[in-house]
Amino acid sequence: MSAPDNGNVTLHINDNGIATISFYHQAQNSLPTALLDDLTAKINQAGHDSQTRVIIIKSEGDRTFCAGASFDELLQIKDKQTGAEFFSGFARVINACRKSPKIIIARIQGKAVGGGVGLAAAADYCLATEAASIKLSELAIGIGPFVISPAVIRKIGLPAFSQLTIRAVDFQSAQWAMEKGLYNEVYPDIAALDDAIVALTEKLASYHPEALNGLKEILWEGTADWDEVLNHRAAISGALVLSEFTQQALKGFLGGKR
């Protein structure tokens, strides 16, 4: 039996201090545990590198930014502890973004689903294309967006989060995401998006590092308890994924559209 494809995460810091963290997984940039852990490590590494001035988080490909949790791995979970540990991977990524002393810019070139929406919400500023529609599909598979909910609600508010969660099978447009506050800027295509990313990050990299760090602290005021909160939410999700309902729903989703 061949080894599972856990995807990969790369980190590059250019001469201007712009750190680019890029992740890839062949299943629509989904996030298995190994990739989540590597993403957390790269965020921490970039954030504490003295050369870094600003961080970009992006994914490879031109269609899907991130399809969220790895359904293949979810189906392999057989006990609550393993389930909690899997969802804690998302908690660690969000908390790494929160605790990073550097401003994080997310590049959302395509659809974001579930944990992909959480990753966008964990960034300090998001640029996206018109193709970057979003969906929280967790209820449709018998769980909920519990771990990512604090980050998402912080950006779009409870009413929009409620709509996004309850309309679990419906994509909301990139324009909707910008109107609600998840995206800060939306561009017609990837070329325009990348031009805007370069212009913004080069400008940010020229600002006083201590001023940027001070801004980062302000942006995340009131979130000091998220280590505990997100881990508690991970345990809830980890228990729900064991249910017969969720296991059958996951099997139904595999091989089809998420």
Side-chain angles (χ1 to χ4, degrees):
M1 181 180 293
S2 61
D5 180 4
N6 292 318
N8 64 76
V9 183
T10 61
L11 167 62
H12 173 72
I13 305 174
N14 71 13
D15 292 340
N16 293 328
I18 299 169
T20 300
I21 299 170
S22 181
F23 66 93
Y24 168 77
H25 193 281
Q26 63 179 3
Q28 302 180 71
N29 288 325
S30 62
L31 299 170
T33 295
L35 196 152
L36 286 167
D37 289 346
D38 200 4
L39 191 55
T40 298
K42 292 296 195 298
I43 292 168
N44 288 332
Q45 180 183 344
H48 293 94
D49 190 311
S50 60
Q51 185 183 346
T52 301
R53 294 290 178 265
V54 62
I55 298 171
I56 299 169
I57 293 181
K58 58 175 286 190
S59 66
E60 298 300 323
D62 57 7
R63 297 190 63 183
T64 303
F65 168 68
C66 177
S70 167
F71 282 12
D72 287 320
E73 188 165 343
L74 286 176
L75 277 170
Q76 301 304 312
I77 294 172
K78 303 302 180 186
D79 59 77
K80 291 182 179 180
Q81 181 177 349
T82 305
E85 178 57 28
F86 173 79
F87 287 102
S88 291
F90 288 93
R92 288 190 289 270
V93 169
I94 291 171
N95 280 319
C97 291
R98 173 176 69 88
K99 295 176 181 178
S100 174
K102 308 298 167 60
I103 295 293
I104 296 176
I105 308 297
R107 171 191 180 270
I108 318 294
Q109 84 282 17
K111 291 180 177 179
V113 179
V117 178
L119 182 54
D124 299 302
Y125 201 83
C126 276
L127 283 71
T129 69
E130 291 177 355
S133 54
I134 63 173
K135 179 172 70 171
L136 292 182
S137 58
E138 284 86 346
L139 279 183
I141 59 170
I143 56 177
F146 302 122
V147 175
I148 67 171
S149 61
V152 179
I153 292 171
R154 171 179 164 271
K155 280 291 183 74
I156 70 176
L158 188 58
F161 173 78
S162 299
Q163 179 181 346
L164 199 56
T165 303
I166 289 171
R167 291 285 188 178
V169 298
D170 300 331
F171 276 100
Q172 304 298 328
S173 70
Q175 188 64 36
W176 184 93
M178 183 169 71
E179 290 171 356
K180 302 304 181 184
L182 179 66
Y183 298 158
N184 299 99
E185 302 173 22
V186 172
Y187 292 89
D189 53 41
I190 291 176
L193 171 67
D194 285 339
D195 286 345
I197 289 279
V198 169
L200 175 61
T201 54
E202 286 186 350
K203 185 172 293 185
L204 285 172
S206 72
Y207 294 162
H208 196 311
E210 291 183 15
L212 291 172
N213 181 253
L215 173 61
K216 179 81 180 197
E217 292 179 358
I218 290 172
L219 293 177
W220 288 93
E221 282 181 347
T223 62
D225 62 345
W226 277 24
D227 282 322
E228 180 181 354
V229 170
L230 270 57
N231 283 330
H232 173 68
R233 302 285 182 84
I236 296 173
S237 295
L240 284 171
V241 79
L242 298 173
S243 70
E244 180 66 20
F245 182 100
T246 299
Q247 291 293 303
Q248 291 302 316
L250 286 168
K251 291 175 183 175
F253 269 78
L254 281 174
K257 294 183 178 179
R258 297 172 68 145

